[in-house]
Amino acid sequence: MIVKNKGEAGSESFTQIAAILGSRSLPSEARLADVWAAILEVSLWPLLSSTHPQLSISSETDHPGAETMQAMVSGLPRMFQEVRDSDAREEAVRAWLADYPSLTGYRFLRNGAIPDSGPESWDEMQGTIGCRLVWDVAHSEGSAQRKFADIAPWKGRSLTASSRVIHSRFGGDDRQLHPLLAWWAVLFTLSMLARYQPGQWTQQIDVNRSKDAVAIEYLLDSALSAVPELILAAIDEVTS
């Protein structure tokens, strides 16, 4: 399913809000699964057509004046554990992370990436793994925190300042999509499907015919609590 942005830059409410929040807007066309992957609250329920899920990133640098910023990046597919050769594994992980442009400039804590990640990187529920990445930063007060904020500018709902999410590139734009705009785009697309293609909508929410039905139901339930909180957080963001 395709999400289309038909408004000229700055002429529609979506693009205006994007500019106010310092977010990218949507490209002229984007896959719904790619926009869906930018929503934190449904990370456990991606659309099956999604190829690059959102990743969580947690800063592990907690002292001022650090010359490096170290973080655990989680959400990588388990398949990397099956690559036995450490050099081949590192190359495969680098190739996969290349679709997450905000991570540019990193190095692995040690060669091999996955074996050095530690047991805390394993997510049994999602079947995913993580790896530690390191960035060199200026030796100055708050430089590590600023680098972390550049990599993951929005912490999203119910996260901490040191734990955020990032999503992959889509539509040729390397910037991140604000969580509120991701919700807006996905909910608007589903509402248009329900209004103008009721037969297809009925099929999509039928658990006997659609593999995405449970994910859609979960998203709609989550929206009732997530969206009002994100709207309030966005208002605070631009008025503080």
Side-chain angles (χ1 to χ4, degrees), residues 31-231:
R31 295 170 65 247
L32 178 64
D34 293 334
V35 184
W36 184 294
I39 299 177
L40 169 68
E41 288 80 9
V42 295
S43 60
L44 294 177
W45 297 99
L47 294 185
L48 295 182
S49 55
S50 175
T51 55
H52 274 68
Q54 64 177 229
L55 302 179
S56 62
I57 179 169
S58 300
S59 174
E60 297 180 339
T61 302
D62 57 3
H63 56 282
E67 295 183 355
T68 61
M69 197 282 287
Q70 178 176 310
M72 171 68 78
V73 176
S74 304
L76 285 71
R78 188 180 180 182
M79 65 182 182
F80 293 121
Q81 284 187 322
E82 300 170 4
V83 182
R84 300 300 180 185
D85 180 75
S86 62
D87 291 336
R89 184 187 305 112
E90 181 173 327
E91 183 178 350
V93 173
R94 283 191 183 278
W96 197 82
L97 290 179
D99 279 329
Y100 296 84
S102 68
L103 295 177
T104 185
Y106 69 86
R107 54 185 168 85
F108 292 112
L109 187 61
R110 286 188 292 270
N111 289 340
I114 300 304
D116 299 326
S117 296
E120 70 273 22
S121 69
W122 169 248
D123 188 319
E124 184 174 359
M125 180 178 292
Q126 291 182 283
T128 59
I129 54 178
C131 62
R132 284 191 171 87
L133 304 181
V134 180
W135 289 261
D136 293 320
V137 297
H139 184 57
S140 61
E141 186 76 20
S143 58
Q145 289 81 0
R146 288 192 295 272
K147 179 62 179 177
F148 184 70
D150 288 341
I151 294 170
W154 296 293
K155 65 180 183 179
R157 173 176 171 260
S158 302
L159 290 180
T160 66
S162 62
S163 180
R164 303 188 179 188
V165 294
I166 55 175
H167 53 81
S168 66
R169 158 195 303 113
F170 65 90
D173 193 328
D174 287 355
R175 293 175 299 164
Q176 295 280 297
L177 182 66
H178 194 282
L180 178 60
L181 295 177
W183 268 108
W184 185 346
V186 169
L187 290 174
F188 181 79
T189 301
L190 294 180
S191 71
M192 292 297 99
L193 180 64
R195 180 176 181 179
Y196 295 110
Q197 301 290 336
Q200 184 179 352
W201 171 251
T202 301
Q203 180 176 333
Q204 289 295 324
I205 60 175
D206 186 344
V207 294
N208 295 314
R209 293 188 290 171
S210 171
K211 294 180 179 180
D212 288 324
V214 174
I216 293 172
E217 181 180 357
Y218 184 84
L219 176 132
L220 295 177
D221 285 344
S222 299
L224 296 175
S225 57
V227 173
E229 290 185 25
L230 282 171
I231 293 173

